[in-house]
Amino acid sequence: MVFEPGVTQLVIICFYLALLLALGLFSNRLFSGSSKDYMLASHSIGPFLLLMSIFGTTMTAFALVGSTGESYKEGVGVYGLLASSSGIIHSLCFFVLGVKLWSLGRKYGYTTQIEFFRDRLESDKLGLLLFPVLVGLVIPYLLIGVMASGTVVTAVTRGAFPVWFESTQGGVPGWLGSLVICGVVLTYVFFGGMRGTAWANTFQTIVFMVLGLVAFFVIASQIGGKEGLWANLVAASESIPRDKLVRAGNPSMSYLRFATYMFVPLSVGMFPHLFQHWLTARKASNFKLAVVAHPLFIMIVWAPCVLIGAWAAGNLVPIPPAVDANANAILPFLVKRFSGDVLGGFLTAGVLAAIMSSLDSQFLCVGTIFTNDIVVHYGGKNRFTDKQIVMIARTFIILIVAITYGLSLLDYRRVFTLGVWCFSGFSALFPLVLAALYWKGLTKAGAYASVITAISLWCYFFYQSDFAGNPHYSVLDMMPVAPMLAGSTLALILVSLVTPRPSEETLQKFFPAKDS
Amino acid sequence: MKYLVWSLVVALIILHQDFWNWDNANLVFGFIPVTLLYQVCISLGAGITWFLAVQFAWPQELEYIEQQMEEKKGEE
C-alpha cells in the first residue's frame, strides 16, 4: 500500500501522542487527590525518575532542534557555548542549590520558590514582585517548545495533504501541529499532575535519547553518498566549511562572548519548574545520580546534533531556501531526507518528545505558582478544600496553555536566540537564590533591588536586541547576561549592607548552628 | 579531598575557555572537529568531577534531615 508522502509519519506521531495520553491517564489512577500529590507527587520520586525528569525538563526543543539549527548557522563552537558549560554549571546548581533547597522544602513544606523567598526574607510583597517576573520569563521558554513543535510537524508531514494545505506544500500547518501538541501535554498534565509529568518525562527522555542516536547514525551513514559509515563520516566532515569548524572570525563567538556564555546555564538555579522537580525527590541522596549523569546525558544529546548541523552547512545536501531561512527546520528536514517514512515518523516522535518533556513541567509549575502563591496565599489556606486547590491549578494551567499558544502564532524567532534570552533572565536572578541560601546578610530590600535591577536590565537589553531579532547582540562584546548578573549582584550586596537583616529567629531557622 | 574536588570544578571552568583552539580547523580521526572533541572531553571531565563530588563532598548533614522526616512521619 502506498501513502501520500508524510502520511506514515503523521500516523506514527498520532500513535505516539495517543501513547502519552494513555500514560497520563494511567498515572491519574495513582493520584491520591491531594494538592501535594498533584504538585509534588508526594515527594515520592526516586533517583532514576529524578534524573530523567530533570534532564527531560532541561532539554527542550533548544537541545535537539535549536542546537542543530544553531550549529548550521554558527558552526561546531555551539557545543562549547552551551553544552559543555551546562554540564559543569547545571550539576553545580543541583549540588549547591538543589539539594539544600530540597532539604528546606521538606523541612518547612514549601512547594514553590516564592514560598521559600517569602519565608526566608520575611517579605510577603516580594512574592508579588517575583510572580510576574518568573511567569513572564517562563513564557518565552514555553514559546520555544510550542513554536518548534509546529515547525517539526509541518516539516515532516509535507506532502500529506496537498489539497488541504497548499501553503505548506501539503504539510500540517504549524499552528495546527502546535495546537495538537499543546492539547496532548495539557491533557496529561491536567490528569496526571506531577506524577504524570515525571513518568511522561522519563518515557520521553528515553525516547528522544535513543531516537536521537538512531537519527545520527541514519543520517551519518548516508549523508556523504559513500559506502559505509566511516567513509560517510569523513566525507561529511570534510565538507564542513572552514568558518563552521572554527570560532575565529565569527561575530557570535568572540573570546569575551564565549567566556560570558558560561553565565547563561546559571539559569537552572532559578527555573521555577526545576525547583518543583527538586522537591519531588524522596531523599537527598536521590540527587547523586542526576548530578553525575547530567553532563554525560547532555553530551549524548548535543554532540551528534551539533555535528549534524555542521554537516548540513556543507555542500553535500542542498538545503531548500525555506529550510535555510528557518534554522529550526534543519533537523526535521534531514530526518525526512535520509530516513524512510517509518523511521522518519519515529524520529520525529523523538524530537517532539524532547519538546513536550519540558512543556509539561513548565505548564504544571505556572499553575502551581498561581495557585499556591496568589490564590491560596491571599485567599487563606482554610478557605479552599484540597480538591478546590487542585481544580484552581488545573484551570490556570488551561489558561496559560491558551495564552502561550496564542503568543506562538504572532511571530517567528530563532529558537536558540529566544532560549538564550529566557535563560539569561533567570541567570540574572541567580544571585538571589545563592545569597538566600548562603549569606545571612541578605535583606528584603537587597532582594528587591536585585530583582528590579535584573529585570530592568533584561527589558532594556531585550528591547535593544530587537526583541531577540538580532542573534549577534552583545553588550561591550559580552553576552547581555554578564552585565545583568553583575548589576543584580551589585544591587543585592550594596542594598543588603545598608538595610536591616531578617529577624534572628528567621536566621536561626535557615542557618542553624552546626552543633544543634 | 573536598578541596581537590572543588579545585577540579574551577579547573574545568578555566579549561573550558579553550582560546588556543579558536582557529583550529583540524579533524581528529578524519571526522571530528577538534573544537567539538575538546569540548566533549570537557563534558566527560565534568561527569568524572561530579562523581568525585558526590563521593567525597556530599553534605552528610542532609542525611540527618531525612532521618528527622522519617521520624516525624512515624509520629504522625
Side-chain angles (χ1 to χ4, degrees):
Chain A
M1 191 184 287
V2 180
F3 295 109
E4 292 283 347
V7 171
T8 310
Q9 287 92 325
L10 189 63
V11 169
I12 292 171
I13 293 169
C14 290
F15 175 73
Y16 177 72
L17 296 179
L19 208 63
L20 267 181
L21 284 177
L23 190 71
L25 295 175
F26 177 72
S27 69
N28 181 251
R29 297 181 64 169
L30 298 179
F31 176 42
S32 72
S34 75
S35 57
K36 213 66 171 171
D37 198 53
Y38 189 75
M39 293 166 185
L40 296 176
S42 301
H43 307 288
S44 62
I45 302 296
F48 181 69
L49 276 184
L50 188 69
L51 161 70
M52 298 309 257
S53 54
I54 286 180
F55 182 72
T57 301
T58 329
M59 297 293 118
T60 172
F62 193 77
L64 290 174
V65 180
S67 62
T68 312
E70 200 64 10
S71 174
Y72 171 73
K73 293 279 183 193
E74 309 289 353
V76 296
V78 165
Y79 186 91
L81 276 187
L82 260 178
S84 51
S85 55
S86 295
I88 305 168
I89 303 295
H90 284 186
S91 289
L92 180 71
C93 289
F94 301 163
F95 194 99
V96 174
L97 307 177
V99 185
K100 204 161 169 75
L101 284 169
W102 170 86
S103 68
L104 292 170
R106 287 301 312 267
K107 216 167 164 183
Y108 303 122
Y110 305 131
T111 306
T112 68
Q113 281 166 317
I114 292 176
E115 281 178 289
F116 162 68
F117 286 119
R118 272 179 169 148
D119 206 15
R120 163 70 180 84
L121 294 162
E122 297 174 340
S123 170
D124 187 58
K125 302 282 189 298
L126 184 63
L128 286 181
L129 174 67
L130 280 172
F131 175 73
V133 170
L134 294 175
V135 173
L137 284 171
V138 168
I139 286 185
Y141 200 170
L142 282 165
L143 275 176
I144 296 167
V146 175
M147 285 187 330
S149 61
T151 306
V152 169
V153 172
T154 303
V156 296
T157 56
R158 199 157 281 150
F161 305 102
V163 180
W164 289 3
F165 307 120
E166 268 184 64
S167 62
T168 53
Q169 296 162 304
V172 174
W175 65 265
L176 185 55
S178 298
L179 183 66
V180 172
I181 296 295
C182 281
V184 170
V185 175
L186 176 64
T187 308
Y188 75 73
V189 171
F190 187 94
F191 288 106
M194 180 52 95
R195 184 172 287 103
T197 301
W199 284 15
N201 273 0
T202 302
F203 172 61
Q204 302 204 84
T205 304
I206 294 168
V207 167
F208 81 70
M209 286 182 78
V210 171
L211 292 179
L213 286 174
V214 172
F216 175 76
F217 284 107
V218 167
I219 293 170
S221 56
Q222 297 178 62
I223 192 166
K226 309 268 183 196
E227 281 295 315
L229 176 66
W230 191 266
N232 277 292
L233 285 171
V234 172
S237 291
E238 282 176 348
S239 78
I240 301 173
R242 192 176 194 284
D243 66 324
K244 299 291 187 283
L245 286 172
V246 300
R247 284 160 286 179
N250 185 336
S252 287
M253 303 208 199
S254 66
Y255 290 142
L256 210 49
R257 259 181 85 89
F258 188 83
T260 50
Y261 236 101
M262 193 129 200
F263 296 130
V264 175
L266 288 174
S267 52
V268 299
M270 274 302 286
F271 279 164
H273 48 285
L274 212 52
F275 180 94
Q276 204 172 340
H277 269 294
W278 286 338
L279 289 187
T280 62
R282 194 165 51 231
K283 49 187 186 170
S285 54
N286 286 0
F287 277 81
K288 288 182 178 178
L289 184 61
V291 170
V292 177
H294 194 80
L296 305 176
F297 275 27
I298 292 178
M299 182 192 73
I300 292 168
V301 172
W302 275 70
C305 289
V306 167
L307 204 49
I308 290 173
W311 289 341
N315 54 9
L316 293 174
V317 188
I319 304 292
V323 177
D324 181 63
N326 180 1
N328 304 340
I330 290 289
L331 184 62
F333 168 76
L334 291 175
V335 164
K336 189 174 165 67
R337 167 86 169 68
F338 288 107
S339 58
D341 287 351
V342 175
L343 186 57
F346 279 114
L347 296 179
T348 308
V351 175
L352 292 176
I355 295 171
M356 289 188 286
S357 63
S358 299
L359 284 178
D360 51 14
S361 305
Q362 293 156 351
F363 285 143
L364 179 66
C365 140
V366 176
T368 304
I369 293 178
F370 176 75
T371 309
N372 258 22
D373 301 324
I374 302 295
V375 179
V376 174
H377 183 79
Y378 290 107
K381 277 194 174 169
N382 301 324
R383 189 169 159 189
F384 304 102
T385 63
D386 228 24
K387 207 173 173 185
Q388 282 173 322
I389 292 173
V390 172
M391 193 40 70
I392 293 165
R394 283 172 163 167
T395 309
F396 196 71
I397 290 168
I398 295 173
L399 196 67
I400 204 76
V401 172
I403 291 171
T404 311
Y405 175 69
L407 288 174
S408 76
L409 301 177
L410 296 180
D411 202 1
Y412 154 75
R413 290 279 184 269
R414 261 159 79 173
V415 158
F416 199 91
T417 314
L418 197 58
V420 168
W421 273 103
C422 160
F423 300 159
S424 298
F426 283 113
S427 301
L429 298 172
F430 176 82
L432 177 63
V433 66
L434 185 70
L437 289 172
Y438 291 99
W439 188 36
K440 280 185 184 179
L442 174 68
T443 68
K444 176 171 72 175
Y448 272 110
S450 179
V451 175
I452 291 169
T453 307
I455 210 63
S456 305
L457 288 172
W458 188 89
C459 290
Y460 176 71
F461 294 142
F462 191 59
Y463 169 74
Q464 290 281 312
S465 75
D466 187 23
F467 302 100
N470 174 9
H472 303 300
Y473 179 74
S474 60
V475 181
L476 302 171
D477 205 29
M478 292 183 285
M479 287 298 291
V481 67
M484 279 153 54
L485 193 63
S488 67
T489 306
L490 208 64
L492 181 142
I493 294 171
L494 292 179
V495 176
S496 291
L497 287 175
V498 294
T499 48
R501 291 178 176 200
S503 67
E504 201 50 44
E505 190 190 347
T506 297
L507 290 178
Q508 276 299 316
K509 181 175 171 182
F510 290 93
F511 301 94
K514 289 259 180 199
D515 56 353
S516 65
Chain B
M1 198 64 188
K2 256 186 187 179
Y3 293 108
L4 174 70
V5 167
W6 291 114
S7 306
L8 282 174
V9 175
V10 174
L12 274 176
I13 291 171
I14 295 167
L15 286 170
H16 171 259
Q17 317 300 325
D18 61 334
F19 56 85
W20 48 91
N21 279 329
W22 224 252
D23 204 17
N24 188 344
N26 287 343
L27 295 172
V28 183
F29 307 124
F31 78 96
I32 310 176
V34 72
T35 312
L36 181 61
L37 181 65
Y38 179 89
Q39 293 292 338
V40 163
C41 291
I42 293 286
S43 295
L44 291 170
I48 294 167
T49 303
W50 290 117
F51 173 74
L52 294 173
V54 300
Q55 292 296 316
F56 301 108
W58 191 252
Q60 292 301 332
E61 66 274 14
L62 292 181
E63 306 307 322
Y64 175 65
I65 287 171
E66 284 165 24
Q67 200 184 326
Q68 272 185 329
M69 295 304 302
E70 291 299 319
E71 281 169 10
K72 198 176 161 191
K73 213 172 166 185
E75 282 167 20
E76 283 168 5

